Amino acid sequence: KEGEQHDRAALGLAADQLALVQAVHAALPRVKKALVVVSGGAVSTEQVEGMVGATIWSGKAGMQAGAGLAVLLYGDAEFSGRVAATIYKEEWAAASDFTDSAISGGKQPRGYRYMAASDAQQYVLYPFGTGLSYHSYSTSFDEPRYTISADALRSGGNVTISATVAVRRGEASATPARSVLLFLSGDVASDKMGGLPQRVEWLGDFAKVKGVGGSSVAVLTLGVDALSRWVPQGGAASRSFTAGSYQVQTGSYRLRLTDSSDTATLTVT
């Protein structure tokens, strides 16, 4: 239950919503069920994980939401979206201090960019970028190494990353389609310029491949926006959003694709 006039009291389903799912499951325990969540923000569904076979989050989808969901649920179109926010377990609320808006520090860092892997395993139900499909896909880098100079980035240059997306198998008649996310990480020296907190990883770019026939190529681009950070004048302690500048981070990066154990490296000189 949410609205502009108040905040939700909990991260999970409201009591009447939970009771509805429990009643349906009790009446039809052997029937496969899908739960559709329509909300403006992330909702934890950990209370019903064992009762439904799949959870679909649609957001505020508008007038054609019903028709769009029917096409997806009956397998006439592929699920190709990704969760656009981290979905936490209920216990994460107790571990966090909501009077502190800093996402990179405080009692409990929040979001995929700053939360440690051990904390994510404990508190996260679905990580940012999660998304299942009717088909099974594999994704791999076409090149193992990429290089660009900081000067080239500042002049408007970029790095083009190509990845091969292949269909392994399918469980519906829907035409294959997949969103590919490219993440960066690395102990880049300039991360510590001005005392900036180290990020676990961050999203560099994304692309959607449609009509994958056996395999297709996703083209992703990394420019100055993905490879620079805002450095406040006076250092991170000043927390200034007006005095400072974006600075290219030189060093070595690790590149990671969703749906893949394959990695590549990028060096910015």
Side-chain angles (χ1 to χ4, degrees):
K1 299 295 180 77
E2 61 186 14
E4 294 183 2
Q5 70 277 13
H6 64 84
D7 293 326
R8 286 184 293 166
L11 297 178
L13 298 173
D16 55 344
Q17 296 169 339
L18 176 59
L20 173 62
V21 177
Q22 291 172 329
V24 172
H25 179 63
L28 303 166
R30 294 182 177 83
V31 175
K32 292 183 178 180
K33 297 172 284 292
L35 173 67
V36 178
V37 177
V38 180
S39 67
V43 175
S44 173
T45 55
E46 62 180 316
Q47 306 141 295
V48 298
E49 285 295 291
M51 304 179 198
V52 297
T55 301
I56 297 100
W57 180 72
S58 70
K60 304 293 187 179
M63 294 177 63
Q64 295 299 316
L69 285 169
V71 170
L72 287 165
L73 289 168
Y74 280 96
D76 295 326
E78 175 72 298
F79 283 100
S80 60
R82 299 284 188 169
V83 174
T86 301
I87 299 180
Y88 297 97
K89 298 176 183 177
E90 193 69 57
E91 62 179 304
W92 177 76
S96 300
D97 180 2
F98 285 86
T99 63
D100 184 355
S101 61
I103 64 172
S104 60
K107 184 178 179 181
Q108 172 58 62
R110 60 200 69 176
Y112 78 100
R113 289 177 295 172
Y114 294 103
M115 181 175 281
S118 56
D119 289 335
Q121 187 173 13
Q122 180 178 356
Y123 296 121
V124 174
L125 183 63
Y126 294 116
F128 169 81
T130 298
L132 300 178
S133 302
Y134 286 123
H135 294 80
S136 176
Y137 301 87
S138 65
T139 311
S140 59
F141 288 101
D142 292 343
E143 299 289 341
R145 285 178 291 277
Y146 301 87
T147 303
I148 193 171
S149 70
D151 289 339
L153 287 167
R154 296 188 192 101
S155 300
N158 55 55
V159 185
T160 300
I161 311 290
S162 61
T164 297
V165 182
V167 181
R168 289 179 174 172
R169 59 184 176 82
E171 297 179 1
S173 60
T175 300
R178 194 61 171 159
S179 297
V180 180
L181 277 58
L182 174 64
F183 292 94
L184 297 90
S185 62
D187 188 14
V188 184
S190 55
D191 255 354
K192 299 184 174 61
M193 289 187 302
L196 294 176
Q198 179 71 27
R199 295 176 289 182
V200 176
E201 67 175 4
W202 63 99
L203 181 66
D205 195 19
F206 59 92
K208 185 173 182 179
V209 178
K210 298 181 179 180
V212 179
S215 66
S216 188
V217 175
V219 179
L220 306 111
T221 303
L222 297 177
V224 69
D225 291 344
L227 298 166
S228 61
R229 291 189 74 177
W230 175 261
V231 180
Q233 184 176 325
S238 71
R239 295 194 176 186
S240 173
F241 294 100
T242 56
S245 62
Y246 281 98
Q247 298 185 24
V248 175
Q249 300 174 270
T250 58
S252 180
Y253 294 83
R254 174 180 176 268
L255 305 180
R256 180 180 73 83
L257 295 166
T258 46
D259 306 321
S260 176
S261 59
D262 188 26
T263 60
T265 58
L266 165 66
T267 303
V268 179
T269 58

